[in-house]
Amino acid sequence: MIQLQIAVGASECERIVARLCADDRIATVSHIEGAALKPAGDLIICDITREAVSDVLDWLANEGIDQNGGLTLLNVDAAPSKLARDAEAAAPGAPEDAVIWDEVLDRSEGSARTSWIFYTFFALAVLIACVAIVTDSAILVVGAMVVGPEFAAVAAIAVGIALRRPALAARAAWLLLRGLLISIAVAVVFTLILRGFGFVPQDALTKPRPLTAFIYEPNTWSVVVALLAGAAGVLSQTAGQLNALVGVFISVTTIPAIADFSMSIAFGDLRQMGGSALQFGLNFGGMIVAGVLVLMILQGVTFVRRHRGARLANASAPEPASRDIR
């Protein structure tokens, strides 16, 4: 279930409440008069099945409520009531299969904003990967992958491309590029300092590294894993299964490859520099391509479902045209 809160002028409330109460996919509707201060008016709270959220938001947007009022979506952890079960039964399909495009777009907009936290985690992840390379530690490689925040920007690029939001894709790409450049600069300085103090041996990159040599040796499987991870990552975000992102972080060799590239610059090792650059290029490219394809498929599925009769339950009013979230 998803809780929708609507803050709107009192003159709009009667028809909104009537429409919401007529939809069998909505479990509860509450109307609190005078509760909204900005904008001044009433507050409407309703619990909606995930499958119906996009339909309700479409109708509210067509009525101009998204421009004149406030809309907030909240995830409901549990709704142990008969009303909730009946509402879910009235909604065709599974909740996990429903995509709330407004939620996807809003999350992507947030992921494309410049933040020092993003740069800090990016740089820290690369530094951890540098230590993993020096010590040939698979555990530290995994740790660096989990710490890395880069997938949020990658997903935002895919959303921007798939939903035809070039400004969003450009902002996310620029954020990712800046994070990459800053992290490389920090890692190069970090490596040079450690070399100066003798903590990094001269053969740190050339010695046998059975657990981390894959970082600078991309192959066909690098592309396959990048495509699979990108698809899984974007799908987890659209389905609200964000816990699956940890597996995505562990799967792709972006952060370790950036670390190896940075250390190769510090050591002047052109061979590994090229291999690690190809590795993170294939991973980033594969994730973006897979993410765009998954989003386009989901758009097609959404289109088909809506034109097979998914509509608000108020049969007395004409069904509004679906918004183009793009």
Side-chain angles (χ1 to χ4, degrees), residues 130-306:
C130 288
V131 177
I133 291 170
V134 173
T135 59
D136 194 34
S137 171
I139 294 177
L140 288 179
V141 168
V142 173
M145 291 176 174
V146 175
V147 172
E150 75 283 2
F151 185 78
V154 170
I157 295 173
V159 170
I161 295 173
L163 299 186
R164 299 180 187 176
R165 297 288 182 109
L168 170 60
R171 288 199 308 273
W174 180 230
L175 176 66
L176 186 61
L177 178 60
R178 281 182 294 182
L180 179 66
L181 295 176
I182 291 172
S183 298
I184 290 174
V186 170
V188 169
V189 173
F190 177 76
T191 303
L192 292 174
I193 292 175
L194 291 184
R195 283 189 65 187
F197 283 99
F199 291 114
V200 179
Q202 295 298 320
D203 64 343
L205 297 183
T206 57
K207 69 180 181 181
R209 287 158 44 197
L211 298 180
T212 57
F214 70 94
I215 293 173
Y216 61 90
E217 294 178 347
N219 51 37
T220 303
W221 293 112
S222 301
V223 179
V224 172
V225 171
L227 291 172
L228 295 176
V234 169
L235 191 60
S236 68
Q237 290 192 319
T238 58
Q241 303 292 326
L242 298 181
N243 58 321
L245 286 178
V246 176
V248 175
F249 298 152
I250 297 175
S251 301
V252 289
T253 318
T254 50
I255 293 296
I258 294 169
D260 196 88
F261 179 81
S262 304
M263 295 188 70
S264 299
I265 293 176
F267 278 87
D269 190 331
L270 296 179
R271 185 183 69 86
Q272 284 204 31
M273 191 186 305
S276 54
L278 180 60
Q279 179 74 276
F280 70 72
L282 290 174
N283 276 268
F284 280 128
M287 287 191 293
I288 292 172
V289 169
V292 172
L293 290 176
V294 168
L295 288 168
M296 292 177 68
I297 292 172
L298 289 175
Q299 282 183 300
V301 171
T302 300
F303 178 84
V304 170
R305 283 181 174 176
R306 287 188 174 183

Side-chain angles (χ1 to χ4, degrees), residues 82-113:
K82 183 177 184 300
L83 289 174
R85 291 191 292 271
D86 290 344
E88 185 57 52
E96 294 80 7
D97 296 338
V99 180
I100 305 175
W101 291 105
D102 295 80
E103 181 185 46
V104 172
L105 186 58
D106 189 65
R107 183 183 295 120
S108 299
E109 292 283 357
S111 299
R113 295 191 185 101

Side-chain angles (χ1 to χ4, degrees), residues 1-4 20-21 23-31 44-49 79 81 83-84 87:
M1 300 294 291
I2 299 292
Q3 185 178 95
L4 172 63
L20 296 176
C21 289
D23 194 332
D24 292 337
R25 301 169 299 174
I26 298 178
T28 63
V29 179
S30 302
H31 177 200
I44 302 171
I45 303 174
C46 54
D47 293 331
I48 313 176
T49 57
S81 68
L83 289 174

